[in-house]
Amino acid sequence: MTKDSLGKGSTSNKAVLSWVAEMENLCRPSRVYWCNGSRAEAQALTGQAIEKGMLIKLNQKKLPGCYYHRSHPNDVARVEQSTFICTKDQEEAGPTNNWMAPREMYQKLRTLSEGAMRGRTMYVVPYLMGPPGSSLAKVGIELTDSVYVVLSMGIMTRMGTIAFEQLGNDDDFNRGLHCMLDINPERRYIAHFPQDNAIISVGSNYGGNVLLGKKCLALRIGSYLGRQEGWFAEHMLILKVESPAGEKTYVAAAFPSVCGKTNFAMMIPPPYFQGWKITTIGDDIAWMKPGPDGRLYAINPEAGYFGVVPGTNSRSNPNAMEMIARDTIYTNVALTPDLDVWWEGKDGPPPEECQDWKGNRWTPESEEKAAHPNSRFCVPMAHNPVLAPEANDPQGVPISAIIFGGRRTDTVPLVFQAFNWVHGVYLGATMGSEMTAAAVGGAGQVRRDPMAMLPFCGYHMGDYFRHWINMHRLIKHPPRIFHTNWFRKNGKGEFLWPCFGENMRVLKWIIDRCHGRIDADESPLGWVPNPKSFDLGGMANFTPEKFAKAQAVNNEEWRREVILQEELFMRLYSHLPKELIFQRELLVARL
Ligand code: OXD
Ligand code: MN
């Protein structure tokens, strides 16, 4: 690829050409740049981003290929109140989504986008979600006036000519338009038009709102298409567990944002589990479809990780520390005088002085945090030292276990297993979690976050539960379903379970259950580990009594929990599958 060919169009697909021309006519950029996804292109655009002050080149000796970005202080997280699902009928979007009629929203956003790229470049970003050739993969095209978005999409997706190759002359691609405007929260809309497979995002330049392949296409539009086409688009990591004997088991897990999906997917088992290996297929999103052998197959549609930085260190995620030491875009962390990065929870002492995420002088005495709690790294998955080769397998991997887990200080035990599929759907549907910095507002409050999909489901949550129940019929060998909670604390505020690598023990129990190797005890909540068959070997200070505390089921707390769960069920009532109401009755009867 020569430098001269950068920015030139490379498709004869008529649907693409006419849509890009239409959007050019609307946004009136001074230039249209077609991305091809090459290294030369990334280098040239990085150079331009540095010139414009969008990126700062970090210390290349310490962090080769790494760059630093600050977003506008009013634009640091997903904004759920500005996120809309524009189905024809409001009923279809359901009570948990903001809704506006498509015609009204198109009108509003056309007005905002009119001439919005005057004097600017419109980048045409073709991208492929999923391994090339996969029957589950989907093509999207994002038109954006942000070079930060182009560079990030180049990391997060299979971006460039490869997408046009997959698309051919088809017009089945997601149409995404992103205009930064003036980054004004008053004029910020992340609007999804599932019936048109289209997205328009204006007024933001924060990842989750503008990297349209991720939350917008892979989850909101994806979930809508998945229901029509008989597959699942889920907010789940995918990992492979390999035993010393070479047995491979694939597990998917739904935890809400900032609840440790990336750490779990890259976990290093403790020394006691010598010979066991965890490798990563995905850290955030799973697309899953029944395969011809009756098992549920999953792919990771992404090609990079957009992970939360604070708290990442050589104890919580040593693999990530290695991964983000090169070719990484850091957003909203702190910047040290020697152009290194720092964040709360990084190994070692804080720097004596640095610039915080807003560019202000920061010292350890400062009251504010140096890195924003939702600061991010953006890195190619190929740099993950424990990437599973299956991450690039168009067939995907057969899933044996699905785990649902929230962040709960009390009530919810470390691990339990659903009695059956519908009970598992109930566990996912009633999941609660304390809110985190990934979204604006409400941090710390428990809210229902069914299947970790509350902010990401592109249609009525009640119909989404129905889809989960119905899919059972299409999966002859369904995965077993589990629930975990790593975050339970005692009265003194101390965690009851040590987490990180020790989570391998929970995973081992889950896998043994899936392969029918161990018995479990019955509890009102589901199957729980029999203390004799849960391996605590090699844990110096962790006694069976401590484990019993992490596993305790307090019936009083659970009666309260059922009442709290009711709130969401009442909101969804008109579309709520009766099966879930029966599950609630059964749970109450068991308590
Ligand atoms: C994410 C999120 O960025 O869930 O993955 O917010
Ligand atoms: Mn996520």
Side-chain angles (χ1 to χ4, degrees):
M1 198 75 60
T2 65
K3 262 210 145 131
D4 295 344
S5 69
L6 297 183
K8 301 239 161 70
S10 65
T11 180
S12 54
N13 181 311
K14 288 208 177 71
V16 173
L17 293 171
S18 78
W19 173 67
V20 173
E22 191 193 329
M23 292 301 109
E24 184 184 352
N25 208 21
L26 175 71
C27 302
R28 305 242 161 233
S30 54
R31 184 165 172 238
V32 177
Y33 181 107
W34 292 73
C35 298
N36 64 31
S38 66
R39 260 189 103 77
E41 173 177 279
Q43 274 164 4
L45 296 180
T46 300
Q48 290 174 20
I50 293 170
E51 258 167 45
K52 285 190 195 132
M54 268 261 178
L55 290 183
I56 295 174
K57 191 175 196 164
L58 288 167
N59 184 327
Q60 298 295 297
K61 282 212 184 83
K62 288 186 167 176
L63 296 165
C66 292
Y67 297 89
Y68 179 89
H69 173 76
R70 277 194 187 105
S71 71
H72 193 290
N74 76 27
D75 186 35
V76 292
R78 285 184 289 98
V79 264
E80 291 173 13
Q81 64 274 27
S82 308
T83 302
F84 287 78
I85 301 295
C86 305
T87 42
K88 267 206 203 90
D89 299 317
Q90 180 162 15
E91 178 92 4
E92 205 182 347
T96 58
N97 283 311
N98 299 311
W99 175 86
M100 202 184 281
R103 193 200 295 216
E104 200 185 326
M105 185 60 100
Y106 275 131
Q107 178 83 46
K108 188 189 259 306
L109 297 184
R110 280 213 180 100
T111 307
L112 285 174
S113 312
E114 218 154 23
M117 296 189 189
R118 270 209 182 91
R120 306 172 60 77
T121 301
M122 173 192 266
Y123 298 92
V124 181
V125 185
Y127 62 95
L128 176 62
M129 300 304 288
S134 173
S135 65
L136 268 163
K138 300 246 175 244
V139 171
I141 301 178
E142 175 165 358
L143 306 179
T144 177
D145 57 352
S146 164
V147 72
Y148 169 74
V149 166
V150 178
L151 293 168
S152 304
M153 287 295 284
I155 293 173
M156 294 305 298
T157 69
R158 294 158 174 94
M159 191 273 268
T161 317
I162 191 169
F164 286 139
E165 282 163 12
Q166 175 102 4
L167 185 63
N169 282 323
D170 214 332
D171 70 350
D172 181 18
F173 62 93
N174 180 271
R175 288 150 168 82
L177 174 66
H178 167 234
C179 304
M180 286 200 285
L181 307 183
D182 55 351
I183 315 288
N184 177 350
E186 301 292 315
R187 298 198 282 151
R188 185 169 294 157
Y189 293 93
I190 298 96
H192 305 72
F193 304 90
Q195 281 135 344
D196 301 337
N197 192 9
I199 305 159
I200 303 178
S201 169
V202 299
S204 171
N205 199 33
Y206 166 74
N209 298 329
V210 298
L211 306 180
L212 299 185
K214 193 174 182 60
K215 302 302 181 182
C216 301
L217 171 53
L219 290 178
R220 298 195 190 98
I221 300 278
S223 58
Y224 186 94
L225 298 176
R227 180 174 60 141
Q228 284 178 338
E229 297 166 5
W231 53 281
F232 289 118
E234 299 299 330
H235 193 201
M236 291 180 181
L237 65 93
I238 312 164
L239 59 76
K240 172 170 77 169
V241 187
E242 225 171 325
S243 76
E247 178 191 69
K248 294 175 182 150
T249 310
Y250 300 94
V251 175
F255 308 150
S257 312
V258 201
C259 288
K261 281 197 297 300
T262 307
N263 292 351
F264 192 61
M266 298 173 72
M267 170 175 53
I268 298 182
Y272 178 78
F273 281 83
Q274 214 193 351
W276 288 82
K277 234 168 60 193
I278 308 284
T279 47
T280 320
I281 287 102
D283 83 323
D284 195 43
I285 295 170
W287 283 355
M288 305 189 288
K289 187 178 172 179
D293 63 357
R295 292 189 290 173
L296 186 63
Y297 280 78
I299 62 161
N300 168 17
E302 300 189 280
Y305 305 151
F306 183 67
V308 177
V309 180
T312 307
N313 56 48
S314 56
R315 195 169 101 80
S316 64
N317 194 340
N319 285 321
M321 291 304 286
E322 188 180 331
M323 173 174 78
I324 62 180
R326 64 196 167 105
D327 300 334
T328 300
I329 301 177
Y330 287 93
T331 298
N332 292 343
V333 295
L335 185 64
T336 68
D338 67 341
L339 297 177
D340 195 355
V341 284
W342 190 78
W343 55 82
E344 278 73 16
K346 194 180 184 187
D347 297 303
E352 279 168 21
E353 184 185 337
C354 63
Q355 279 180 16
D356 69 10
W357 65 277
K358 291 185 198 155
N360 298 325
R361 182 170 177 272
W362 184 93
T363 68
E365 283 71 48
S366 300
E367 282 184 3
E368 292 196 18
K369 293 219 186 309
H372 189 277
N374 191 37
S375 50
R376 299 281 175 147
F377 57 74
C378 180
V379 63
M381 72 174 180
H383 288 6
N384 175 357
V386 292
L387 182 74
E390 294 92 323
N392 289 305
D393 185 344
Q395 303 277 326
V397 294
I399 299 294
S400 295
I402 288 174
I403 307 175
F404 293 119
R407 174 186 290 269
R408 294 297 299 271
T409 303
D410 49 42
T411 312
V412 183
L414 178 63
V415 62
F416 54 100
Q417 181 186 355
F419 292 121
N420 53 49
W421 181 266
V422 177
H423 182 223
V425 174
Y426 175 78
L427 297 184
T430 52
M431 235 171 89
S433 196
E434 286 148 32
M435 284 177 73
T436 65
V440 175
Q445 282 168 30
V446 174
R447 70 165 176 183
R448 293 300 123 195
D449 189 353
M451 278 100 165
M453 282 289 278
L454 184 73
F456 307 121
C457 183
Y459 60 101
H460 197 299
M461 263 284 163
D463 296 336
Y464 169 74
F465 299 153
R466 167 56 60 210
H467 177 56
W468 263 84
I469 291 173
N470 288 353
M471 283 291 287
H472 189 210
R473 277 185 238 127
L474 304 179
I475 317 167
K476 195 154 162 236
H477 307 292
R480 303 287 186 256
I481 300 181
F482 298 82
H483 195 293
T484 60
N485 174 27
W486 318 125
F487 301 94
R488 195 175 190 181
K489 290 182 178 167
N490 63 17
K492 288 188 254 166
E494 297 155 341
F495 285 108
L496 287 173
W497 176 251
C499 279
F500 307 129
E502 302 299 348
N503 291 344
M504 177 67 211
R505 296 166 193 276
V506 174
L507 205 43
K508 169 78 168 33
W509 181 77
I510 286 173
I511 285 163
D512 284 341
R513 288 293 296 160
C514 290
H515 294 301
R517 286 197 281 256
I518 50 171
D519 289 335
D521 291 343
E522 198 171 334
S523 86
L525 306 184
W527 298 109
V528 292
N530 174 319
K532 281 192 228 87
S533 56
F534 191 92
D535 201 339
L536 295 175
M539 288 182 89
N541 300 315
F542 199 83
T543 57
E545 290 70 39
K546 283 193 177 168
F547 182 67
K549 282 203 176 120
Q551 279 299 125
V553 179
N554 178 325
N555 286 11
E556 261 322 298
E557 282 180 342
W558 273 94
R559 284 191 197 105
R560 274 201 299 277
E561 178 72 10
V562 174
I563 292 167
L564 294 176
Q565 293 173 356
E566 254 331 82
E567 204 250 344
L568 179 65
F569 274 19
M570 289 303 283
R571 283 174 77 199
L572 302 178
Y573 193 78
S574 58
H575 289 234
L576 191 69
K578 293 289 172 279
E579 289 90 328
L580 298 185
I581 296 172
F582 299 149
Q583 285 297 324
R584 196 247 344 254
E585 292 301 302
L586 289 169
L587 170 60
V588 172
R590 290 192 299 262
L591 286 170

